[in-house]
Amino acid sequence: MKIFASLDAKDRRMLLILLGGIALLLILLAVLTPRSDPDKNPVPDSYLTGRHGARAAYTLLQQSGYAIQRWEQPLSELAAHADPGTILILAEPNSYEDEDRASIRTILQKGGRILATGLRGGLLLPGNAVEPAKGISFAACEAQPEGLQPLAGTGPIWILPRAGWKLTNPAVQVAYTCANQPVVVEYPSEKGHIVWWANSTPLENSSITRGHNLELLLNSVGSPEGHRIYWDESLHGQAHTPWDYTSGPVWPLLLFGCIGLALLVILSYSRRRGPIRPLPASPRTTPIEFLDALGSLYRAAGATSTATQIAWDRFRSQTALLCGLRNHKPDARELAQAIERRFGSISISMEPDLVAAEEACSNDALKPREALAIVQSLRRHEQTLRAQTLRAASTIRISGNAT
């Protein structure tokens, strides 16, 4: 508040305008920022509650006694401490990195279990034979169980296949097919075990209760005893890095803030450092117009004695100075005597005029014509005395030069 009080009025007004503009931009940004629809996010993220999210499956496993946690670190860190009780769920991962493939292979070498879904999930698996789905389908397929393994013993499931599995390895056991294309398979790899789904539909929020999808999920992860499930979120593009904090509205807010600050600096600096120009002169009346206006005021007020008083005071003060009467206000006769002593015979005709002027100052019934005559006589006498003074000064200067 001290800084605010130290600013002058213009700076405070400018600062308030900028702060108001910034507040308005923030409000517009909050109002106009589109809100994301969770149902439109196709990622089976365990945090999402939309129709394609997997929050329900994650919560169900958690409440069913499974030791489960989300994994948001690099898979290499999980592979470093994996053991036979490790179960990794890769629901539609976005990664094709060799480092992630190597980490999955390491988990399998240590006896871990992998549940991968989708085409991209299958591509991460060792010995994969995934291929695009035959035909494009926009509706879920009721996949029928194949074989007698526990994975296929639950009954039909509903799945929207986006990929298939090419049967080239006899170790691969098909659990479900859709349109004669394997959509759920399992096979051993190294010391571990792999389960692959053609899509994450069975574990999504909107379809986990449809058909035997929930049983398929439970059979795919196995028994909770001695196992710990890691639901991978690091390959969903949700891995937390320092740059994640720069996403969202941070950059627009920072940009608008910088623009506002730059405007504040530029306007404040330019107002003080810019060219200084004099203010335009306000129009004033000419001396004649001023006198005419002043005369109109005196005429309207009937103040003839006041006008005479002003003229008499001016004549008396100027003449007293010429006569050497400083700090003294002589009356008309004293002034006439001083003029006579100073200027000689020219003062003979002045005394009656001076007495008349002094008496007119207290005469409220003085007519304008009489007042004008008195003012004119005072003006005439003043000019005479000044002319006499100039001639005397000139004579003294000439005499001084001659000497």
Side-chain angles (χ1 to χ4, degrees):
M1 296 306 294
K2 292 183 178 179
I3 297 177
F4 189 79
S6 63
L7 301 176
D8 59 22
K10 292 183 178 179
D11 288 342
R12 284 198 298 271
R13 183 170 60 253
M14 185 183 304
L15 181 59
L16 290 176
I17 292 174
L18 287 177
L19 291 178
I22 292 174
L24 180 61
L25 288 176
L26 292 177
I27 294 173
L28 291 177
L29 186 64
V31 172
L32 299 179
T33 299
R35 298 181 179 179
S36 59
D37 185 356
D39 290 339
K40 293 182 179 179
N41 191 340
V43 179
D45 194 302
S46 63
Y47 290 101
L48 299 181
T49 58
R51 59 177 301 180
H52 298 295
R55 179 68 176 272
Y58 182 87
T59 304
L60 186 145
L61 291 174
Q62 195 174 37
Q63 295 178 351
S64 299
Y66 284 88
I68 185 172
Q69 69 178 85
R70 296 180 177 90
W71 187 259
E72 299 177 349
Q73 308 303 321
L75 287 181
S76 58
E77 297 184 14
L78 177 63
H81 66 269
D83 55 28
T86 299
I87 300 175
L88 175 62
I89 297 178
L90 297 168
E92 301 283 351
N94 294 326
S95 172
Y96 303 96
E97 300 295 331
D98 293 337
E99 182 182 359
D100 297 327
R101 291 193 180 95
S103 299
I104 293 172
R105 185 181 296 276
T106 301
I107 294 173
L108 292 171
Q109 289 173 349
K110 293 183 178 181
R113 187 182 182 92
I114 305 295
L115 169 58
T117 67
L119 178 62
R120 289 168 293 186
L123 292 174
L124 286 175
L125 300 175
N128 75 81
V130 292
E131 61 180 358
K134 296 177 181 178
I136 301 176
S137 177
F138 296 98
C141 169
E142 185 179 13
Q144 299 298 324
E146 297 281 345
L148 301 177
Q149 64 272 27
L151 195 62
T154 57
I157 62 170
W158 290 88
I159 189 170
L160 182 61
R162 295 301 187 191
W165 194 276
K166 187 184 299 182
L167 295 177
T168 58
N169 185 354
V172 175
Q173 296 182 0
V174 179
Y176 286 90
T177 60
C178 182
N180 297 322
Q181 190 173 26
V183 293
V184 176
V185 301
E186 62 176 339
Y187 61 96
S189 178
E190 304 289 346
K191 296 180 181 178
H193 194 80
I194 292 176
V195 177
W196 176 82
W197 299 355
N199 200 326
S200 296
T201 309
L203 56 78
E204 292 179 354
N205 296 330
S206 61
S207 57
I208 190 171
T209 58
R210 191 176 186 185
H212 292 268
N213 288 352
L214 177 58
E215 288 82 352
L216 174 64
L217 173 62
L218 297 177
N219 289 332
S220 297
V221 297
S223 172
E225 284 80 11
H227 295 94
R228 186 171 190 82
I229 299 176
Y230 296 91
W231 194 300
D232 180 73
E233 297 294 348
S234 65
L235 304 184
H236 278 163
Q238 303 292 330
H240 296 290
T241 64
W243 289 105
D244 292 341
Y245 296 100
T246 63
S247 60
V250 174
W251 283 112
L253 291 176
L254 183 61
L255 178 62
F256 288 131
C258 290
I259 292 175
L261 183 60
L263 288 176
L264 178 62
V265 172
I266 291 173
L267 295 178
S268 300
Y269 182 83
S270 61
R271 194 176 70 81
R272 290 185 171 85
R273 304 295 180 180
I276 299 176
R277 297 179 180 177
L279 295 175
S282 58
R284 300 182 62 180
T285 56
T286 63
I288 297 299
E289 292 174 334
F290 174 75
L291 292 176
D292 185 61
L294 187 62
S296 299
L297 290 175
Y298 283 124
R299 188 181 305 110
T304 53
S305 60
T306 303
T308 307
Q309 178 72 52
I310 294 173
W312 164 245
D313 289 341
R314 185 178 185 281
F315 176 83
R316 182 172 57 180
S317 62
Q318 296 294 328
T319 304
L321 290 175
L322 294 177
C323 297
L325 300 176
R326 296 180 180 276
N327 301 324
H328 180 63
K329 290 184 179 180
D331 57 16
R333 290 184 172 78
E334 291 176 343
L335 185 60
Q337 295 173 2
I339 292 172
E340 183 178 1
R341 290 194 300 271
R342 173 67 175 81
F343 296 97
S345 59
I346 62 172
S347 62
I348 296 175
S349 60
M350 287 188 182
E351 183 172 353
D353 294 338
L354 299 184
V355 173
E358 186 178 42
E359 292 176 352
C361 294
S362 57
N363 184 9
D364 295 333
L366 184 67
K367 296 180 180 179
R369 186 177 299 277
E370 298 173 351
L372 178 61
I374 293 173
V375 171
Q376 289 176 341
S377 66
L378 293 175
R379 178 62 176 169
R380 186 171 57 255
H381 293 321
E382 181 180 357
Q383 291 176 348
T384 301
L385 295 176
R386 285 187 177 278
Q388 184 67 21
T389 303
L390 291 175
R391 281 196 296 272
S394 177
T395 302
I396 293 172
R397 186 163 51 251
I398 293 173
S399 301
N401 294 334
T403 303

